[in-house]
Amino acid sequence: MKVKNPIRSVFLIVGLATMALVIAAGFWSNQVYEQQFLQDHQRRLQENARLIASILETLPAEKEALLIIRDLVHTLDHNNGHLHRVVVQDNLGSDILVFPYNIGTLAFSASTDFSGGSVALYSAQPHPSYPSQLFVLAALGVFLVLIIGIGMNIAGHALQQPLHALATAANRFAQGDLEYRTAPEDHPLVHEIATTMNQMAEQLQSRIDTILSQQQELEALFASMVEGIIVLSENGRVQRINSVAASFFGTKVQDACGKPLLQILRSPAMEDLISRCSKTTAAVEQEIQVFSPQQLLLQAHASRYQSGEKIGILLVLHDITEIRRLETVRRDFVSNVSHELKTPVTSISGFAETILDDPEMPAEQCTRFIQIINKQASRLQSIIEDLLSLSRIEEHGRELPRESMKTRPLLEGVINLCRFAAEEKEIELELEQDDPGKIHANANLLEQALFNLVQNAIKYSPNKSRVILRSQQLADAPQNIQFEVQDFGTGIPQQDIPRLFERFYRVDRARSRELGGTGLGLAIVKHIALVHGGTVDVESTLGNGSSFRLTIPR
């Protein structure tokens, strides 16, 4: 669409108005000039009539006077461009002279008296000659139009440039370029407008920067929250969701936005929660179980909100899976501790009461009962010591002193500590070391962890078998050292491996107690690995033995 030039429109309007004024002035001046011309004609006609009367008064000879009058009429006809007639009458009203006689009816007349009668001078309709005046007026009009045109053109150019600059600035602002500025000093005619536009752009930029800054802060806060946050529209569609909430449901933020929440998470509990929240203004809470992509237990807090005319639901999701797991572990731990302590305490109490109730008990039987009491007391002491060990590691593990030490003497010390138990079962202890380097660790804790692993391997290995203790530097992680204890015993069922490092967990409870285990040895190994920033894992096959790997950073 072609944009009209306002300067040209103004010039056209002014030019047409000027032409109209010039034409009106021409017509008005023509009327004035014609009226003046007729008045002058009448006045000259009267003067000529008096002149003829004076001639008649001055010249007594009638013939001579008439000749002079006739010449005068010819002169008037010639000079004025139209016909004249003279009528001279005596005092009685009789015509003395009529000249010329046959020129028809004349329009104008002038009369005067003299001593011998009266003189009347007639003339035809005069025609004013004023073409030159019209040309002057026309030329003046054209000149005025040209002057106005030139002035408007100059004014147009003077205004067009600053107006164009203002239009450019407005377009740049509309496109979002609020950093653009006009130069008010270059355009004095629109100085105030340009200054105001610059101030407007600066204020808009400042407000937009403030809004963007606040939005970025909110986005950062929204993204950094450990809780899952979901904003739902009134019809249950996801308007906003943070990455934590998206990860709960195994989706991405950009994929979830705009979809119904129940399409992302098909959960009757969630549907019930949203339905109850939409019917009340109070907050609603409910536990939601998620099975995919991982099994989670979420504490969902739903509340309605209103922003202007919009109504929605705000969901806050807390992952309480670990809390519930720890509560289960705590309950199991209390139950296991109670059970583990109850067995030796019951044995000690029972045999002690038996001895007290039978003072005449044979010495041989009494000695056997006392040995059982001593054995159960030792087992009780072992459990307490292991629990205290775990407590110290958990409480002060990160602050325990560490030192740089060679691994060879450490491994040899563990072999020596376990040698007596191995010789009782005729088990051969082997030491393999591919890496003779050093490690920065707590010597006592690391020795305890390896001792527990080797001691377990000896306990659950058949007689005359082998137990291998080896250390090596990992090829894909040279900053770590891996200690491995391998046995060739009965192995561990796969379903028991995930819980193997839990406190008081036993694959075979009866056999473990028979061998004097407390059920805390592998839990201690796990915590020692954790306080060193390492890991422990196991690989086992039923009938072929097990390999426990303890990986520690250098």
Side-chain angles (χ1 to χ4, degrees):
M1 181 177 178
K2 188 176 180 181
V3 180
K4 293 182 178 180
N5 189 334
I7 303 300
R8 292 182 180 177
S9 300
V10 171
F11 168 71
L12 181 60
I13 293 171
V14 173
L16 291 175
T18 303
M19 289 291 293
L21 289 174
V22 169
I23 293 172
F27 279 108
W28 176 79
S29 62
N30 180 46
Q31 294 295 325
V32 172
Y33 177 79
E34 184 174 355
Q35 185 178 2
Q36 185 66 34
F37 176 80
L38 292 178
Q39 290 176 356
D40 292 344
H41 175 72
Q42 184 68 37
R43 180 179 53 79
R44 287 192 299 272
L45 196 64
Q46 187 68 39
E47 290 175 353
N48 289 326
R50 289 194 188 101
L51 178 62
I52 295 173
S54 65
I55 292 173
L56 290 173
E57 287 283 357
T58 305
L59 297 177
E62 183 178 343
K63 184 176 180 180
E64 184 179 353
L66 292 177
L67 289 175
I68 294 173
I69 291 171
R70 188 173 58 179
D71 291 338
L72 178 61
V73 170
H74 283 300
T75 301
L76 291 175
D77 290 344
H78 181 268
N79 291 338
N80 293 326
H82 54 268
L83 299 176
H84 291 76
R85 173 187 294 158
V86 177
V87 177
V88 180
Q89 294 180 337
D90 57 18
N91 291 325
L92 297 178
S94 299
D95 292 334
I96 301 173
L97 174 64
V98 178
F99 179 82
Y101 183 77
N102 56 345
I103 57 173
T105 303
L106 300 179
F108 288 85
S109 65
S111 62
T112 185
D113 295 330
F114 68 100
S115 59
S118 63
V119 176
L121 181 62
Y122 299 88
S123 73
Q125 177 71 34
H127 297 285
S129 67
Y130 46 83
S132 59
Q133 184 181 16
L134 292 179
F135 288 145
V136 169
L137 289 174
L140 179 61
V142 172
F143 178 73
L144 289 175
V145 170
L146 289 177
I147 291 298
I148 293 173
I150 293 172
M152 293 296 293
N153 192 32
I154 294 173
H157 281 294
L159 283 174
Q160 194 168 13
Q161 186 176 359
L163 291 177
H164 179 72
L166 293 178
T168 302
N171 288 332
R172 295 285 288 271
F173 295 159
Q175 294 170 5
D177 183 10
L178 297 177
E179 297 292 337
Y180 182 80
R181 294 290 182 270
T182 59
E185 61 277 3
D186 295 341
H187 309 297
L189 293 175
V190 292
H191 180 277
E192 292 185 4
I193 299 176
T195 303
T196 303
M197 289 182 67
N198 287 342
Q199 292 174 351
M200 177 189 68
E202 186 175 354
Q203 292 175 359
L204 284 175
Q205 184 65 53
S206 176
R207 292 179 182 177
I208 290 174
D209 290 342
T210 302
I211 293 171
L212 289 177
S213 177
Q214 293 175 349
Q215 185 177 3
Q216 289 172 357
E217 291 175 1
L218 289 175
E219 290 290 345
L221 179 64
F222 195 69
S224 62
M225 292 181 69
V226 294
E227 294 86 1
I229 306 295
I230 303 175
V231 180
L232 299 178
S233 63
E234 192 173 7
N235 58 3
R237 290 185 175 272
V238 177
Q239 291 183 325
R240 295 193 68 180
I241 182 172
N242 66 351
S243 57
V244 176
S247 66
F248 288 160
F249 308 140
T251 185
K252 296 180 180 179
V253 173
Q254 58 270 27
D255 296 336
C257 289
K259 292 182 179 179
L261 178 61
L262 298 178
Q263 181 180 337
I264 302 171
L265 175 65
R266 300 185 183 277
S267 169
M270 180 65 80
E271 184 176 4
D272 177 64
L273 176 68
I274 295 174
S275 175
R276 287 191 293 123
C277 181
S278 62
K279 296 176 182 177
T280 179
T281 56
V284 183
E285 290 188 357
Q286 185 169 332
E287 290 188 1
I288 308 293
Q289 196 159 10
V290 179
F291 297 96
S292 177
Q294 55 185 335
Q295 189 167 352
L296 298 173
L297 185 62
L298 304 176
Q299 179 71 34
H301 178 99
S303 59
R304 292 178 64 189
Y305 75 93
Q306 185 168 359
S307 177
E309 297 181 355
K310 294 183 179 179
I311 299 176
I313 296 176
L314 176 65
L315 281 176
V316 181
L317 306 176
H318 302 269
D319 184 3
I320 59 173
T321 308
E322 186 64 15
I323 296 175
R324 291 288 185 267
R325 189 190 71 80
L326 292 176
E327 289 176 353
T328 303
V329 169
R330 180 180 59 81
R331 286 194 300 268
D332 291 346
F333 174 71
V334 172
S335 175
N336 288 332
V337 167
S338 301
H339 182 74
E340 292 295 333
L341 294 178
K342 182 180 179 181
T343 301
V345 168
T346 302
S347 296
I348 291 171
S349 176
F351 284 106
E353 288 177 0
T354 303
I355 293 174
L356 291 172
D357 291 341
D358 189 3
E360 298 179 358
M361 181 182 294
E364 193 176 299
Q365 186 177 1
C366 183
T367 301
R368 187 169 64 83
F369 284 177
I370 291 174
Q371 287 176 346
I372 292 174
I373 291 174
N374 182 60
K375 182 180 178 181
Q376 294 299 326
S378 297
R379 182 166 179 268
L380 185 61
Q381 183 179 2
S382 296
I383 292 173
I384 293 171
E385 286 179 352
D386 284 349
L387 285 172
L388 290 174
S389 245
L390 270 174
S391 178
R392 283 193 299 268
I393 293 169
E394 288 179 345
E395 186 176 356
H396 304 292
R398 297 288 181 180
E399 302 173 1
L400 290 174
R402 304 184 188 189
E403 57 182 341
S404 181
M405 57 185 174
K406 294 183 178 180
T407 57
R408 183 75 184 186
L410 175 69
L411 299 179
E412 289 176 349
V414 172
I415 293 295
N416 291 332
L417 288 173
C418 299
R419 192 174 300 280
F420 179 75
E423 288 176 352
E424 285 186 342
K425 298 181 69 173
E426 299 182 10
I427 293 175
E428 182 181 354
L429 294 178
E430 299 180 8
L431 176 60
E432 298 178 3
Q433 186 176 21
D434 296 337
D435 177 47
K438 294 183 177 183
I439 187 171
H440 188 73
N442 185 284
N444 293 332
L445 290 181
L446 190 55
E447 183 181 64
Q448 183 180 358
L450 294 175
F451 174 79
N452 287 356
L453 292 176
V454 175
Q455 193 78 358
N456 276 358
I458 293 172
K459 286 179 182 179
Y460 298 102
S461 293
N463 294 343
K464 297 182 180 181
S465 62
R466 292 186 305 149
V467 172
I468 302 172
L469 174 60
R470 65 170 62 92
S471 69
Q472 59 183 345
Q473 178 176 321
L474 298 178
D476 56 345
Q479 73 277 11
N480 294 335
I481 292 181
Q482 186 181 80
F483 301 96
E484 182 179 1
V485 177
Q486 183 180 5
D487 66 63
F488 300 91
T490 57
I492 304 168
Q494 292 297 316
Q495 66 269 19
D496 291 315
I497 289 179
R499 301 190 61 190
L500 199 60
F501 294 95
E502 293 180 8
R503 301 174 186 186
F504 297 112
Y505 185 81
R506 293 184 176 92
V507 176
D508 187 344
R509 291 184 177 272
R511 187 182 177 194
S512 176
R513 291 195 185 94
E514 181 185 346
L515 294 173
T518 63
L520 295 170
L522 291 179
I524 292 174
V525 172
K526 175 184 175 182
H527 281 77
I528 291 174
L530 291 176
V531 298
H532 282 88
T535 59
V536 62
D537 60 85
V538 61
E539 183 179 333
S540 182
T541 305
L542 281 175
N544 293 326
S546 306
S547 293
F548 287 83
R549 301 183 183 89
L550 178 63
T551 304
I552 303 293
R554 286 181 178 275

